[in-house]
């Protein structure tokens, strides 16, 4: 069953360094995802250890942490139909060289950890990650004149 969902996206320091923030944000906008939360965050050690808890024992974790702290990241909450899976589709698989052409990671990057963007991978993680980075009052509900095309079921 399709449903309107929210998901958490972080635009990573390689995108910030390479002036790709607008390009990446634009791809989400052009898809028809609604940006309902948006801010810069500097990721502390504690936040990264929580966010990447499944990776703290990996040999690449220290480099991943250093990389994620190079610049502030642009954190956003996106809303749309089935948007958790839809955003992961746009983002592509973790290794940019294994990602399908046309995805953000395949089109704009070559290596890990510098693969441009983080996106929640399940409804459970989306809920946890949105709470990790956003207060309730930083997430907005608003109407756009394009909603009937993007969110409407019919014409
Ligand atoms: P992971 O949570 O496995 O993937 P995803 O970002 O697609 O949800 O990994 C988190 C990040 O860790 C990944 O985006 C890039 C980095 N990473 C490496 O640097 N080396 C690796 O071998 C892996 C698997 C991930």
């Amino acid at each position: 069953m399709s449903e309107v969902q929210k998901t958490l996206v972080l635009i990573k320091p390689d995108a910030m360094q390479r002036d790709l923030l607008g390009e990446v944000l634009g791809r989400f906008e052009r898809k028809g995802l609604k940006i309902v939360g948006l801010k810069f965050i500097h990721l502390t050690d504690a936040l990264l250890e929580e966010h990447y808890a499944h990776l703290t024992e990996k040999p690449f974790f220290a480099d991943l942490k250093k990389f994620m702290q190079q610049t502030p990241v642009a954190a956003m909450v996106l809303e749309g139909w089935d948007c958790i899976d839809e955003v992961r589709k746009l983002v592509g698989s973790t290794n940019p060289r294994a990602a399908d052409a046309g995805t953000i990671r395949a089109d704009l990057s070559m290596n890990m950890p510098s693969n441009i963007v983080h996106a929640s991978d399940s409804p459970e993680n989306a809920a946890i990650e949105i709470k990790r980075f956003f207060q309730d009052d930083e997430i907005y509900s608003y109407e756009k004149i394009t909603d009937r095309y993007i969110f409407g079921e019919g014409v």
Side-chain angles (χ1 to χ4, degrees), residues 12 51-52 54-55 58 60 63-64 67 88 91-95 105 111-115 117-121:
K12 295 181 180 181
H51 185 62
Y52 286 133
H54 59 297
L55 300 174
K58 299 282 186 195
F60 59 81
D63 283 348
L64 173 61
F67 161 67
R88 287 288 293 195
V91 166
S93 58
T94 308
N95 179 345
R105 283 170 167 169
N111 283 307
M112 295 184 292
S114 42
N115 60 4
V117 64
H118 167 83
S120 306
D121 63 3

Coordinates of all heavy atoms in Angstrom, one line a residue, residues 12 51-52 54-55 58 60 63-64 67 88 91-95 105 111-115 117-121, ligand 1:
K12 N 26.3 15.3 2.2 CA 27.6 15.1 2.9 C 28.6 16.1 2.5 O 28.5 16.8 1.5 CB 28.0 13.6 2.6 CG 27.1 12.5 3.2 CD 27.7 11.2 2.9 CE 26.8 10.1 3.4 NZ 27.4 8.7 3.2
H51 N 24.6 7.6 14.9 CA 24.0 7.5 13.6 C 24.6 6.3 12.8 O 24.0 5.6 12.1 CB 24.3 8.7 12.8 CG 23.7 8.8 11.4 ND1 22.3 8.7 11.3 CD2 24.2 8.8 10.2 CE1 22.1 8.7 10.0 NE2 23.2 8.8 9.3
Y52 N 26.0 6.1 13.0 CA 26.6 4.9 12.3 C 27.0 3.8 13.3 O 28.1 3.2 13.2 CB 27.9 5.4 11.6 CG 27.5 6.2 10.3 CD1 28.2 7.4 10.0 CD2 26.6 5.7 9.4 CE1 27.9 8.1 8.8 CE2 26.3 6.4 8.2 CZ 27.0 7.6 7.9 OH 26.7 8.2 6.8
H54 N 26.1 0.9 13.6 CA 26.3 -0.4 13.0 C 27.7 -0.5 12.3 O 28.0 -1.5 11.8 CB 25.2 -0.7 11.9 CG 25.1 0.3 10.8 ND1 24.8 1.7 11.0 CD2 25.3 0.2 9.5 CE1 24.8 2.3 9.9 NE2 25.1 1.5 8.9
L55 N 28.4 0.6 12.3 CA 29.7 0.6 11.6 C 30.9 0.9 12.5 O 32.0 0.9 12.1 CB 29.7 1.7 10.5 CG 28.6 1.4 9.4 CD1 28.6 2.6 8.4 CD2 28.9 0.1 8.7
K58 N 34.0 -1.2 12.3 CA 34.6 -1.4 11.0 C 35.9 -0.6 10.9 O 36.1 0.5 11.5 CB 33.7 -0.8 9.8 CG 32.3 -1.5 9.8 CD 32.4 -2.9 9.1 CE 31.1 -3.5 8.9 NZ 31.1 -4.9 8.6
F60 N 37.0 1.2 8.6 CA 36.9 2.5 7.9 C 36.2 3.5 8.8 O 36.0 4.7 8.4 CB 36.2 2.4 6.6 CG 34.9 1.8 6.6 CD1 33.7 2.5 6.9 CD2 34.7 0.4 6.3 CE1 32.5 2.0 6.9 CE2 33.4 -0.2 6.3 CZ 32.3 0.6 6.7
D63 N 37.9 7.0 9.5 CA 38.0 7.8 8.3 C 36.6 8.4 7.9 O 36.4 9.6 7.5 CB 38.5 7.0 7.1 CG 40.0 6.9 7.1 OD1 40.7 7.5 7.9 OD2 40.5 6.0 6.3
L64 N 35.6 7.6 8.1 CA 34.2 8.0 7.9 C 33.8 9.2 8.8 O 33.3 10.2 8.3 CB 33.2 6.8 8.1 CG 31.7 7.1 8.1 CD1 31.3 7.6 6.7 CD2 30.9 5.8 8.4
F67 N 35.7 12.3 7.8 CA 35.1 12.8 6.5 C 33.8 13.6 6.8 O 33.5 14.7 6.3 CB 34.8 11.7 5.6 CG 33.8 12.0 4.5 CD1 34.1 12.9 3.5 CD2 32.6 11.3 4.5 CE1 33.2 13.2 2.5 CE2 31.7 11.6 3.5 CZ 32.0 12.5 2.5
R88 N 15.8 6.4 -1.7 CA 16.9 5.5 -1.8 C 17.2 5.1 -3.2 O 18.3 4.9 -3.7 CB 16.6 4.2 -1.0 CG 16.7 4.4 0.6 CD 18.2 4.5 1.1 NE 19.0 3.3 0.9 CZ 20.2 3.2 1.6 NH1 20.6 4.1 2.4 NH2 20.9 2.1 1.4
V91 N 19.0 7.9 -4.8 CA 20.4 8.0 -4.2 C 21.3 6.9 -4.8 O 22.5 7.2 -5.1 CB 20.3 7.9 -2.7 CG1 21.7 7.6 -2.1 CG2 19.7 9.2 -2.1
G92 N 20.8 5.7 -5.0 CA 21.6 4.6 -5.5 C 22.4 3.8 -4.4 O 22.4 4.2 -3.2
S93 N 23.0 2.7 -4.8 CA 23.6 1.9 -3.8 C 24.9 2.5 -3.2 O 25.5 3.4 -3.8 CB 23.9 0.5 -4.3 OG 24.7 0.5 -5.4
T94 N 25.3 2.0 -2.0 CA 26.3 2.6 -1.2 C 27.6 2.9 -1.9 O 28.2 4.0 -1.8 CB 26.6 1.7 0.0 OG1 25.3 1.4 0.6 CG2 27.5 2.4 1.0
N95 N 28.1 1.9 -2.7 CA 29.3 2.1 -3.4 C 29.0 2.7 -4.8 O 28.4 2.2 -5.6 CB 30.0 0.7 -3.7 CG 31.3 0.8 -4.5 OD1 31.6 1.8 -5.1 ND2 32.1 -0.3 -4.5
R105 N 24.5 8.9 -6.5 CA 25.8 8.4 -6.2 C 26.6 8.0 -7.5 O 27.7 8.3 -7.6 CB 25.7 7.3 -5.2 CG 25.4 7.8 -3.8 CD 25.1 6.6 -2.9 NE 25.1 7.0 -1.5 CZ 24.7 6.2 -0.5 NH1 24.1 5.0 -0.8 NH2 24.7 6.6 0.7
N111 N 33.7 7.2 -5.0 CA 34.4 6.5 -3.9 C 33.5 6.6 -2.6 O 32.7 7.4 -2.5 CB 35.7 7.2 -3.5 CG 36.8 6.8 -4.5 OD1 37.0 5.6 -4.7 ND2 37.4 7.8 -5.1
M112 N 33.8 5.7 -1.7 CA 33.3 5.8 -0.3 C 34.5 6.2 0.5 O 35.6 5.9 0.2 CB 32.9 4.4 0.2 CG 31.7 3.9 -0.6 SD 31.1 2.3 0.1 CE 32.4 1.2 -0.3
P113 N 34.3 7.0 1.6 CA 33.0 7.4 2.1 C 32.3 8.6 1.4 O 31.2 9.0 1.7 CB 33.3 7.8 3.6 CG 34.7 8.3 3.5 CD 35.4 7.5 2.4
S114 N 33.0 9.1 0.4 CA 32.5 10.4 -0.2 C 31.5 10.0 -1.3 O 31.7 10.2 -2.5 CB 33.7 11.2 -0.8 OG 34.6 10.4 -1.4
N115 N 30.3 9.6 -0.8 CA 29.2 9.2 -1.8 C 28.0 10.2 -1.7 O 26.9 9.8 -1.9 CB 28.9 7.8 -1.6 CG 28.4 7.5 -0.2 OD1 28.2 8.4 0.6 ND2 28.1 6.2 0.1
V117 N 25.6 11.6 -0.3 CA 24.3 11.7 0.4 C 24.0 10.5 1.3 O 24.4 9.4 1.0 CB 23.2 12.0 -0.6 CG1 23.0 10.8 -1.5 CG2 21.9 12.4 0.0
H118 N 23.4 10.8 2.4 CA 22.8 9.7 3.3 C 21.3 9.8 3.2 O 20.7 10.9 3.2 CB 23.2 9.9 4.8 CG 22.4 9.0 5.7 ND1 22.7 7.7 5.9 CD2 21.2 9.3 6.3 CE1 21.7 7.2 6.7 NE2 20.8 8.1 7.0
A119 N 20.6 8.6 3.1 CA 19.2 8.6 3.2 C 18.7 7.4 4.0 O 19.3 6.3 3.9 CB 18.6 8.5 1.8
S120 N 17.7 7.6 4.8 CA 17.1 6.5 5.6 C 16.7 5.3 4.8 O 16.2 5.5 3.7 CB 15.9 7.0 6.4 OG 16.2 8.2 7.1
D121 N 17.0 4.1 5.3 CA 16.7 2.9 4.5 C 15.5 2.1 4.9 O 15.2 1.1 4.2 CB 18.0 2.0 4.5 CG 18.3 1.5 5.9 OD1 17.5 1.7 6.9 OD2 19.3 0.8 6.0
Ligands
LIG1 P1 26.0 2.1 5.1 O1 25.1 2.4 6.3 O2 26.4 0.6 5.0 O3 25.4 2.5 3.7 P2 24.4 3.6 3.2 O4 25.1 5.0 3.4 O5 24.1 3.3 1.8 O6 23.1 3.5 4.1 O7 27.3 2.9 5.2 C1 27.4 4.3 5.7 C2 28.5 5.0 5.0 O8 29.7 4.5 5.4 C3 28.4 4.9 3.5 O9 27.5 5.8 2.9 C4 29.9 5.2 3.2 C5 30.7 4.6 4.3 N1 31.3 3.3 4.0 C6 32.7 3.3 3.7 O10 33.3 4.3 3.8 N2 33.2 2.1 3.4 C7 32.5 0.9 3.3 O11 33.1 -0.1 3.0 C8 31.1 1.0 3.6 C9 30.2 -0.2 3.5 C10 30.5 2.2 3.9

